[in-house]
Amino acid sequence: MPTMLPLWLLASLLAMSQALPFEQKGFWDFTLDDGLPMLNDEEASGAETTSGVPDLDSLTPTFSAMCPFGCHCHLRVVQCSDLGLKAVPKEISPDTTLLDLQNNDISELRRDDFKGLQHLYALVLVNNKISKIHEKAFGPLRKLQKLYISKNHLVEIPPNLPSSLVELRIHDNRIRKVPKGVFSGLRHMNCIEMGGNPLENSGFEPGAFDGLKLNYLRISEAKLTGIPKDLPETLNELHLDHNRIQAIELEDLLRYSKLYRLGLGHNQIRMIENGSLSFLPTLRELHLDNNKLSKVPSGLPDLKLLQVVYLHTNNITKVGVNDFCPVGFGVKRAYYNGISLFNNPVPYWEVQPATFRCVTDRLAIQFGNYKK
């Protein structure tokens, strides 16, 4: 994906009209390649009653003639990406609602860099060299809802984040610790993407996520050896793929009963303790591909809403007739529309057809392609 975004894509962030919970269209939509077009921008649930960008026509005064040298300014969007900037430019119009500074050489955010930008809604700082942020740098940004500061050199979560913040994308930095209180007061936050940081389980202080009511959390490509036990109970989506998780024990998922999408692909999971999945009654998608499982996890037939199961590229040698579907009829409310078992050493010709009696279509089942 190109790193420089067309102006109309940036301006699309300003077209929101209604606040809805954060929601993704698919598991793979949220990639590490930073581009605003892949976001679903209906998730805002910020401090304002409308939860979206303030009425652009009501903002007075306007300063449309102001535009930093080399930048492109249109409809209160200021695009200053790919200019080799060493610092946040001056003379940014006070009525700016989106400021794009990605792909520059900014190394520090100073105290007055965003002074007067009280209407700023989205700030894009992706792919700079930021390693230092003044504790009051974000102070003027009282309406900021989206902060994209991925692919920088940060070693800690920025201090004093705006209380209006809804979405924080801070992946691909150098963060090793998430201290207690760092998210204090962020009662509108519902989405955090913090993968690609060298985070271990011990890096999360007890209470680090206290007060947050997140819908979406991604801590992929880190150094986790187990499922964190102190994440927000409100989570609908939890993505922990590309870590070092080796097992799911009985009470690991007890806290996350509201999950409808759980991503655990590309780990080292050998064992899922019986009963572990029973704590996820609303689960719709389960991703366990690219692990070391030797059998289909128990408890899948009891998950009445489960529709997608990724189990490809494991060590599964046998699939039982009741591994996916409940015994009898009328028990499971949702039919599967996706089961992937390819690249496993299971003799698929021996699997009984009744195994997939609660699958919508035979094309929803993926088998074969095992390589010794």
Side-chain angles (χ1 to χ4, degrees):
M1 176 180 292
T3 55
M4 183 171 179
L5 301 174
L7 187 59
W8 68 270
L9 289 175
L10 291 170
S12 66
L13 272 176
L14 307 178
M16 296 190 302
S17 60
Q18 187 176 6
L20 295 173
F22 181 89
E23 180 180 359
Q24 284 184 246
K25 295 181 180 179
F27 180 78
W28 300 113
D29 292 348
F30 206 92
T31 67
L32 291 180
D33 196 2
D34 284 275
L36 300 181
M38 62 189 172
L39 299 175
N40 179 350
D41 288 313
E42 294 182 341
E43 76 274 21
S45 59
E48 300 295 319
T49 56
T50 60
S51 295
V53 181
D55 182 3
L56 299 182
D57 294 329
S58 68
L59 295 177
T60 56
T62 59
F63 299 84
S64 57
M66 296 178 60
C67 189
F69 179 78
C71 301
H72 298 278
C73 304
H74 181 64
L75 294 177
R76 297 177 175 83
V77 172
V78 178
Q79 184 182 20
C80 302
S81 60
D82 300 272
L83 296 177
L85 298 175
K86 303 292 185 182
V88 176
K90 303 297 183 182
E91 298 184 357
I92 299 174
S93 174
D95 64 353
T96 299
T97 53
L98 190 151
L99 176 58
D100 176 19
L101 294 168
Q102 65 181 310
N103 304 327
N104 281 294
D105 296 321
I106 300 171
S107 61
E108 178 182 357
L109 299 182
R110 297 164 296 190
R111 176 171 181 168
D112 295 328
D113 277 349
F114 306 112
K115 185 178 181 180
L117 300 182
Q118 67 270 21
H119 297 296
L120 198 65
Y121 166 83
L123 176 59
V124 185
L125 292 160
V126 174
N127 197 26
N128 276 276
K129 300 176 181 178
I130 300 170
S131 61
K132 184 178 180 181
I133 298 178
H134 192 278
E135 62 178 9
K136 295 185 178 180
F138 298 127
L141 307 179
R142 297 191 298 270
K143 295 185 178 180
L144 190 72
Q145 291 194 23
K146 296 174 179 286
L147 177 58
Y148 304 148
I149 196 167
S150 303
K151 297 183 180 179
N152 278 283
H153 299 166
L154 296 175
V155 297
E156 63 180 3
I157 306 290
N160 301 320
L161 292 169
S163 61
S164 55
L165 205 60
V166 172
E167 180 180 349
L168 174 64
R169 300 183 66 180
I170 196 168
H171 62 267
D172 283 320
N173 277 279
R174 303 172 182 177
I175 299 168
R176 296 180 178 273
K177 183 179 180 181
V178 183
K180 182 178 181 179
V182 71
F183 297 122
S184 178
L186 301 179
R187 58 192 179 92
H188 303 292
M189 182 85 79
N190 68 16
C191 171
I192 296 180
E193 155 60 276
M194 58 191 312
N197 285 288
L199 282 163
E200 300 179 0
N201 285 73
S202 59
F204 298 95
E205 289 189 357
F209 294 90
D210 282 358
L212 289 182
K213 297 181 180 180
L214 297 181
N215 292 331
Y216 179 100
L217 177 62
R218 187 169 185 259
I219 316 175
S220 301
E221 299 183 88
K223 297 182 178 181
L224 301 180
T225 55
I227 296 178
K229 296 179 173 61
D230 199 23
L231 305 178
E233 298 178 352
T234 56
L235 284 172
N236 297 135
E237 295 195 38
L238 176 60
H239 299 284
L240 302 173
D241 45 291
H242 290 274
N243 275 286
R244 304 173 182 177
I245 300 172
Q246 299 183 20
I248 299 176
E249 299 180 353
L250 183 58
E251 296 186 356
D252 280 352
L253 299 170
L254 174 63
R255 184 178 175 89
Y256 311 125
S257 61
K258 296 182 180 180
L259 284 180
Y260 62 72
R261 184 176 288 133
L262 175 60
L264 290 166
H266 292 272
N267 275 281
Q268 302 171 21
I269 300 173
R270 297 177 180 273
M271 184 273 294
I272 299 178
E273 192 171 353
N274 290 348
S276 300
L277 299 179
S278 64
F279 298 114
L280 307 177
T282 62
L283 195 67
R284 290 164 172 77
E285 292 188 23
L286 176 61
H287 298 255
L288 286 164
D289 55 286
N290 291 276
N291 277 285
K292 299 182 179 181
L293 294 172
S294 59
K295 63 179 182 179
V296 176
S298 63
L300 296 183
D302 299 324
L303 299 177
K304 297 181 180 180
L305 301 180
L306 188 63
Q307 299 174 50
V308 175
V309 182
Y310 282 10
L311 290 168
H312 54 270
T313 316
N314 276 279
N315 299 320
I316 298 172
T317 58
K318 182 180 179 180
V319 178
V321 69
N322 295 318
D323 279 351
F324 294 98
C325 303
V327 178
F329 298 93
V331 180
K332 186 174 174 60
R333 285 185 288 168
Y335 279 74
Y336 291 99
N337 53 45
I339 296 177
S340 67
L341 283 160
F342 65 88
N343 203 19
N344 278 288
V346 55
Y348 58 89
W349 55 88
E350 295 181 4
V351 178
Q352 299 183 38
T355 301
F356 305 110
R357 58 190 176 274
C358 59
V359 180
T360 55
D361 189 276
R362 66 174 61 186
L363 296 178
I365 306 165
Q366 297 183 355
F367 253 139
N369 300 321
Y370 175 68
K371 299 178 181 180
K372 294 184 179 180

